Amino acid sequence: GQNIDQPTEMTATEGAIVQINCTYQTSGFNGLFWYQQHAGEAPTFLSYNVLDGLEEKGRFSSFLSRSKGYSYLLLKELQMKDSASYLCAVSPYGNNRLAFGKGNQVVVIP
Amino acid sequence: GAGVSQSPSNKVTEKGKDVELRCDPISGHTALYWYRQSLGQGLEFLIYFQGNSAPDKSGLPSDRFSAERTGGSVSTLTIQRTQQEDSAVYLCASSLASGGGSYNEQFFGPGTRLTVL
């Protein structure tokens, strides 16, 4: 099975950089996803990592190390609208379901 | 374009009653998923439909839960004899078909908030 851990909450200042970590224990997976979820809304896709390394997409970057069972999401130039929960999920081999961590709540303050 | 829609957005029911939750996936998406999100918890996989294949029901928590997908499009999740622990947000997602191992982004609906009194 999958065991995905994320820290629960962090606070950061507008304009700052935050790193959200995700560690997992799984027998194998196709790729690792990051989703953003604002309170009361549906999760929306942010990034997908298959290979080890950094994927950059505007202000958001995601990193994966399969050997270390570790991923992180980097949010740069934080904006107030970035206040949300950030969910890490893996797509296990053999099926398309996603196994999610509990999410990390980021609160951006002025 | 139209995204995934779900209805109702909120449902309050009494313990022991049956409820039906509906999901309309994005047109052309052959894969449909149901998840639930309890307070302070991550999304928990419930069931997955892919085309005409038998659904993957391995995430359903008990036999009170069932789901069907008619005509390869709309899906209904049914919870019989609801219990208070069933209270959660039930999320539906859809994606394009995949051959397994390839990337297919899941698009989520807004969810149905179920409260069992």
Side-chain angles (χ1 to χ4, degrees):
Chain A
Q2 296 78 39
N3 188 7
I4 301 170
D5 290 321
Q6 293 185 253
T8 55
E9 184 171 322
M10 58 175 60
T11 301
T13 306
E14 199 172 9
I17 300 173
V18 293
Q19 178 174 314
I20 303 166
N21 298 322
C22 172
T23 58
Y24 58 86
Q25 295 174 339
T26 180
S27 55
F29 62 97
N30 299 315
L32 188 142
F33 291 80
W34 282 95
Y35 278 80
Q36 180 190 60
Q37 187 178 25
H38 287 101
E41 297 183 12
T44 55
F45 170 81
L46 289 178
S47 69
Y48 178 67
N49 292 68
V50 176
L51 302 176
D52 284 3
L54 190 67
E55 293 281 342
E56 297 189 77
K57 191 186 280 189
R59 293 188 300 113
F60 294 172
S61 303
S62 57
F63 172 83
L64 175 65
S65 170
R66 286 180 179 262
S67 61
K68 295 181 180 178
Y70 168 69
S71 173
Y72 68 73
L73 180 70
L74 199 65
L75 285 62
K76 304 174 191 173
E77 300 168 18
L78 275 178
Q79 302 176 9
M80 298 299 290
K81 66 179 181 179
D82 296 332
S83 293
S85 182
Y86 292 85
L87 312 175
C88 159
V90 296
S91 175
Y93 285 143
N95 61 69
N96 289 322
R97 70 166 78 173
L98 293 179
F100 283 87
K102 293 184 179 180
N104 180 299
Q105 183 69 40
V106 172
V107 178
V108 182
I109 58 176
Chain B
V4 178
S5 61
Q6 292 185 245
S7 62
S9 54
N10 281 284
K11 177 71 177 178
V12 180
T13 190
E14 293 179 347
K15 178 181 172 181
K17 301 281 190 181
D18 297 352
V19 295
E20 284 190 353
L21 313 179
R22 177 188 168 106
C23 172
D24 284 86
I26 293 173
S27 177
H29 282 190
T30 60
L32 186 147
Y33 315 77
W34 283 97
Y35 296 87
R36 75 174 174 182
Q37 189 172 32
S38 303
L39 191 63
Q41 300 296 315
L43 273 73
E44 174 190 5
F45 167 78
L46 296 177
I47 187 169
Y48 160 56
F49 296 89
Q50 173 61 63
N52 295 321
S53 302
D56 176 356
K57 303 180 182 179
S58 59
L60 295 179
S62 77
D63 58 8
R64 297 186 294 105
F65 288 72
S66 63
E68 61 178 21
R69 189 177 185 193
T70 54
S73 181
V74 172
S75 177
T76 302
L77 177 70
T78 301
I79 309 173
Q80 295 178 309
R81 305 181 303 280
T82 51
Q83 303 295 312
Q84 288 183 333
E85 61 263 27
D86 299 335
S87 296
V89 177
Y90 289 80
L91 290 159
C92 174
S94 70
S95 70
L96 293 169
S98 85
S102 60
Y103 158 46
N104 273 296
E105 176 187 346
Q106 293 184 23
F107 295 83
F108 284 83
T112 294
R113 181 174 297 276
L114 175 66
T115 303
V116 182
L117 302 176

